[in-house]
Amino acid sequence: MDKLKTLLTILSDGEFHSGEAIGNELNITRAGVWKLVRQAKNTGFSIQGISRQGYKLMQPISFLSAKKINSFLSDECKSNLKCLEIFNEIDSTNTYLLQRIYEFSKIPRACLSELQTQGRGRRGRLWHSPYAQNIYLSLLWKFDPSKTDFQGLSLVIALAVANVLEKLNLPHEIKLKWPNDIFIAEKKLSGILIETRGEMHDGAQVVIGVGINVNMTTRSAHKINQPWISLFQLLKKTVDRNKLAADLIHEIMAYLKKFNTHGFTPFKKAWEKYDMTYGLAVKIECHDNIISGVARGIDDAGRLQIETNENNKIAINVGDVSWED
Ligand code: BTN
């Protein structure tokens, strides 16, 4: 990955660079350069190669940078966030924080990576995480010791992400699928994975992972087995991931603070605006059971209310919702 990063950094000015000049900088042969360019193309980057001129990157690229992200954060947010790390490559940003959850003393802390080799989704699924195109962000957060009720947390994080996305003026409505999937035009744009380790007597700690398809194109995403969309496809332009990351960190921390003090109640109305399945026939996979019925919104604790096909009203805490066409 380091060689790939160097290649993309050389090409990031959008000018032509000869195979020879690139080879000299990377200390590899011209055939090696050709192979690396092929790797970059397979990863999803559009690179033009013209004989005697060399190679040129067709879309702008900027790498994640803690310095740039910090420059977009307010002073208050910067002083609240105790640590921000950027990785070029990692198995999973959530796994990284989870495995060290009891070691870290600087909390809240956030990390992002250009690539995840084992990006994880909900219910053991994979999260496709190609190099230098998307956001893979995890935040380690500690709640006040007095806080014991976390009902609705997933929904609150989805609302924070939706609020950041609203500022991008997307051409379609943002919709949230309970508990925390973000859809645009019925295609998944972003997913959230919230994990914790055990019970903490002096305040529960959670790892909040957010994946957003930002500049990903179809080239790099042939492995995704569900309808998806990226911000690049929606806006027809490359989105600054550093600014987006800063806005996410800011918004998620602000929402967590409010949730810590006031619980889910102040967020319920906002959820109703985004609710994707309200009034629809849905199926919920929950603890190896499948429940079918009509979605009737959420209750005060953020639980999904279902009117089952047997005319019972139930409220669901966890589960995977799909809708019937
Ligand atoms: C889902 O919709 O299934 C949840 C996807 C969560 C993906 C993010 S990317 C950053 C963090 N690290 C991971 O391995 N997963 C989450």
Side-chain angles (χ1 to χ4, degrees):
M1 271 308 149
D2 286 348
K3 280 207 164 36
L4 182 59
K5 183 167 187 179
T6 314
L7 169 75
L8 293 170
T9 308
I10 296 168
L11 297 180
S12 63
D13 60 5
E15 303 291 328
F16 274 107
H17 293 261
S18 72
E20 194 182 351
I22 297 170
N24 286 344
E25 251 184 83
L26 283 162
N27 210 7
I28 54 175
T29 61
R30 281 171 67 175
V33 173
W34 183 83
K35 269 196 199 152
L36 200 58
V37 168
R38 196 176 53 179
Q39 187 194 342
K41 284 182 177 175
N42 289 339
T43 311
F45 294 96
S46 169
I47 296 173
Q48 189 184 18
I50 296 189
S51 59
R52 290 202 201 86
Q53 288 199 66
Y55 300 102
K56 175 185 158 120
L57 193 59
M58 302 304 285
Q59 84 264 41
I61 179 173
S62 75
F63 290 100
L64 293 169
S65 136
K67 201 170 153 197
K68 284 193 186 149
I69 294 174
N70 272 315
S71 76
F72 291 120
L73 289 176
S74 65
D75 288 343
E76 191 194 339
C77 186
K78 253 186 297 196
S79 78
N80 286 341
L81 183 68
K82 300 295 180 260
C83 179
L84 171 64
E85 288 175 288
I86 309 289
F87 299 100
N88 195 41
E89 174 176 349
I90 201 163
D91 51 357
S92 146
T93 51
N94 260 38
T95 306
Y96 170 74
L97 292 181
L98 262 185
Q99 284 177 344
R100 294 159 186 81
I101 199 163
Y102 300 126
E103 268 167 49
F104 288 141
S105 53
K106 290 182 180 167
I107 302 173
R109 67 188 294 145
C111 70
L112 291 116
S113 184
E114 292 289 11
L115 172 92
Q116 292 188 124
T117 53
Q118 287 167 57
R120 295 188 292 111
R122 289 177 64 227
R123 299 168 70 87
R125 287 186 284 250
L126 284 177
W127 186 256
H128 185 62
S129 310
Y131 187 65
Q133 293 162 56
N134 294 331
I135 290 277
Y136 319 117
L137 162 72
S138 295
L139 177 77
L140 173 57
W141 178 268
K142 187 171 181 167
F143 286 99
D144 286 348
S146 57
K147 177 102 186 134
T148 49
D149 177 12
F150 302 100
Q151 289 265 7
L153 173 62
S154 307
L155 288 72
V156 168
I157 303 302
L159 286 168
V161 175
N163 208 33
V164 170
L165 296 172
E166 284 291 3
K167 291 174 195 145
L168 298 174
N169 290 322
L170 301 176
H172 297 277
E173 268 185 335
I174 300 165
K175 288 282 162 202
L176 300 181
K177 178 163 83 78
W178 188 91
N180 57 16
D181 284 337
I182 294 167
F183 278 74
I184 307 262
E186 305 208 340
K187 295 175 179 152
K188 187 150 165 175
L189 176 75
S190 168
I192 293 161
L193 179 67
I194 299 179
E195 296 177 291
T196 186
R197 284 273 178 275
E199 288 294 309
M200 299 285 295
H201 41 275
D202 64 339
Q205 295 188 168
V206 287
V207 172
I208 293 157
V210 180
I212 303 183
N213 300 329
V214 183
N215 295 320
M216 186 160 71
T217 57
T218 38
R219 252 168 190 277
S220 59
H222 49 274
K223 289 183 204 133
I224 304 180
N225 57 6
Q226 62 173 326
W228 65 273
I229 199 157
S230 69
L231 293 175
F232 177 81
Q233 291 169 331
L234 285 161
L235 295 168
K236 314 272 182 273
K237 62 174 191 199
T238 306
V239 171
D240 181 348
R241 291 178 304 143
N242 287 306
K243 168 85 173 88
L244 186 59
D247 289 350
L248 286 166
I249 292 169
H250 175 273
E251 212 69 355
I252 293 172
M253 293 210 327
Y255 276 52
L256 280 167
K257 248 179 135 175
K258 191 165 166 184
F259 177 73
N260 188 84
T261 318
H262 302 288
F264 183 70
T265 316
F267 298 99
K268 186 168 180 257
K269 229 182 165 44
W271 179 272
E272 284 163 1
K273 169 180 162 209
Y274 289 109
D275 192 346
M276 183 176 181
T277 53
Y278 189 89
L280 293 186
V282 292
K283 258 198 302 205
I284 300 116
E285 266 185 75
C286 133
H287 306 304
D288 292 336
N289 275 331
I290 299 210
I291 300 163
S292 295
V294 176
R296 294 286 179 219
I298 54 165
D299 66 10
D300 287 345
R303 292 177 302 184
L304 181 64
Q305 303 184 105
I306 301 290
E307 204 175 296
T308 66
N309 294 346
E310 296 76 34
N311 275 335
N312 293 323
K313 278 219 170 110
I314 54 171
I316 290 174
N317 266 331
V318 280
D320 213 28
V321 180
S322 55
W323 60 96
E324 295 171 349
D325 297 317

